[in-house]
Amino acid sequence: MGNLRKLGITRLAACDPHPDRLEYVRSEFQAESFSSLDQALTSFRPDAVLICSPPVCHVPQAMQALYAGAHIFIEKPLSDRLDGIDELRREAEGKKLAVQIGYNLRFHPPIEKLKQLVEERAVGKILWAQIHSGSYLPDWRPWQDYRRSYTARREMGGGILLDGSHEIDYAAWLLGAPQKLVCMAAKVSALEVNVEDCATMLWQFPGGTLADIHVDFIQRSYARSCTLAGTEGRIHWDLKANAIEIVRPDGKNEALQFDCEVNDMYLAEIAHFLECMETGGAPRFGLDQAVLALRIALAARRSAEENVWVELD
């Protein structure tokens, strides 16, 4: 809500079943508050609904918002299953309503630069990629008992493959959809969760490129990085350094430093969503990309559970 305020949105409402959280948004953001989505849609009549609930609720709540004539922004992942997504697509297209999914890393300037470098073949054809993200779940939302968060609970759509699917999404954005993949995923920590907390995927692409992608919520220090090795050099991005390094065989290396703040990408994605609402344009990153990320995450989970390679259709 703070970012919506920064972007000039003053008419705000929040919907939450927890009275203490509603009281916070009332006092902090001067927002109207509702205990149910039905009540909010009927009484407040929003132009847009931002769905930030557990993944199992995303599609049903998105359909409610679409039926009410609201544009929708859905936090990632789109869902924990593929059921209902075709109906959601038809409803949104029929009413010409914007649907954007919260893969905010696509609005992060260093990731946008990686995309540009790959398209320009700055280091030739990409042969392999190594993508890494690790953090510690109890630190994600320190105001909440992590054991009660949806991330920790399979029945709410949790697990690192779904809730950590930013890496899946931007890897597919940079390199395309994998042809097949294999995954090791399990609960390996002492955290009180009933989901996988650590996963490593190997992707194979139609053109022969390989990628290994690791995500977890058990590391005690936050880390996020991407290495792309090509026929003519290597590109490396590190989030903490806020920099990209391009290493070439002839020694003509480059170091690209960025001065963006973490919150800038969240502002940028919401600003883009608001622009699509105003102009009627389609979000740059909408349902098609989110469905691909979900399909890959579900394929990875199946691979880990069945100990098999999985081909994507």
Side-chain angles (χ1 to χ4, degrees):
M1 279 197 170
N3 282 341
L4 288 168
R5 286 283 188 193
K6 288 180 181 179
L7 293 170
I9 306 301
T10 57
R11 183 175 177 266
L12 296 170
C15 176
D16 199 296
H18 299 278
D20 55 338
R21 295 204 287 245
L22 282 181
E23 177 56 35
Y24 171 74
V25 297
R26 274 196 299 265
S27 60
E28 185 72 16
F29 302 107
Q30 296 76 53
E32 294 187 46
S33 59
F34 301 91
S35 59
S36 75
L37 181 57
D38 283 336
Q39 183 186 17
L41 293 172
T42 301
S43 302
F44 188 73
R45 302 186 65 83
D47 296 316
V49 173
L50 280 69
I51 298 171
C52 307
S53 52
V56 293
C57 302
H58 286 180
V59 170
Q61 290 176 344
M63 291 302 299
Q64 282 184 266
L66 289 172
Y67 289 148
H71 302 276
I72 53 174
F73 180 99
I74 307 174
E75 252 304 342
K76 60 83 196 140
L78 172 58
S79 181
D80 68 329
R81 64 199 69 195
L82 295 171
D83 300 347
I85 292 173
D86 288 341
E87 183 184 358
L88 188 154
R89 186 195 305 276
R90 287 194 296 269
E91 186 69 17
E93 291 176 352
K95 292 190 173 180
K96 295 181 170 54
L97 293 168
V99 179
Q100 184 171 321
I101 317 301
Y103 282 112
N104 51 275
L105 281 178
R106 291 190 180 221
F107 293 85
H108 191 42
I111 298 292
E112 292 177 315
K113 186 64 177 180
L114 286 181
K115 176 65 171 175
Q116 178 188 339
L117 291 170
V118 170
E119 290 182 341
E120 294 175 350
R121 298 177 67 90
V123 292
K125 176 188 175 183
I126 302 301
L127 302 176
W128 65 261
Q130 186 176 62
I131 293 173
H132 176 98
S133 177
S135 55
Y136 191 53
L137 179 59
D139 294 338
W140 284 19
R141 309 172 187 99
W143 61 87
Q144 179 187 40
D145 183 342
Y146 79 88
R147 294 168 295 186
R148 301 182 64 184
S149 71
Y150 68 80
T151 308
R153 297 169 61 182
R154 179 75 175 248
E155 65 274 17
M156 296 175 70
I160 192 60
L161 282 167
L162 288 171
D163 210 17
S165 57
H166 284 294
E167 271 58 35
I168 289 175
D169 176 68
Y170 90 73
W173 188 41
L174 295 180
L175 302 170
Q179 182 177 31
K180 62 180 181 177
L181 62 83
V182 68
C183 176
M184 292 187 300
K187 178 185 178 299
V188 301
S189 75
L191 292 175
E192 296 179 47
V193 303
N194 68 357
V195 294
E196 78 282 348
D197 55 23
C198 180
T200 299
M201 295 165 276
L202 299 178
W203 293 9
Q204 184 173 358
F205 295 86
T209 298
L210 302 176
D212 60 270
I213 301 170
H214 175 85
V215 289
D216 72 69
F217 58 60
I218 58 177
Q219 292 188 51
R220 296 307 300 265
S221 59
Y222 177 45
R224 200 164 222 157
S225 63
C226 173
T227 299
L228 304 169
T231 54
E232 304 299 329
R234 185 180 73 249
I235 304 168
H236 179 75
W237 163 68
D238 183 85
L239 182 117
K240 283 189 175 180
N242 212 10
I244 289 175
E245 181 184 21
I246 305 172
V247 179
R248 295 189 174 91
D250 60 7
K252 295 179 180 179
N253 302 336
E254 294 181 55
L256 308 175
Q257 194 70 43
F258 298 82
D259 61 2
C260 51
E261 301 291 335
V262 170
N263 192 50
D264 291 347
M265 58 182 162
Y266 295 102
L267 280 168
E269 70 171 348
I270 291 298
H272 176 64
F273 176 61
L274 296 175
E275 179 184 359
C276 291
M277 287 175 53
E278 182 177 348
T279 64
R284 284 187 289 155
F285 311 116
L287 273 177
D288 289 344
Q289 294 83 4
V291 169
L292 175 59
L294 178 58
R295 287 178 57 237
I296 293 171
L298 294 175
R301 180 171 278 176
R302 178 190 156 204
S303 171
E305 291 173 348
E306 299 180 8
N307 193 28
V308 295
W309 280 87
V310 175
E311 292 196 13
L312 269 76
D313 297 331

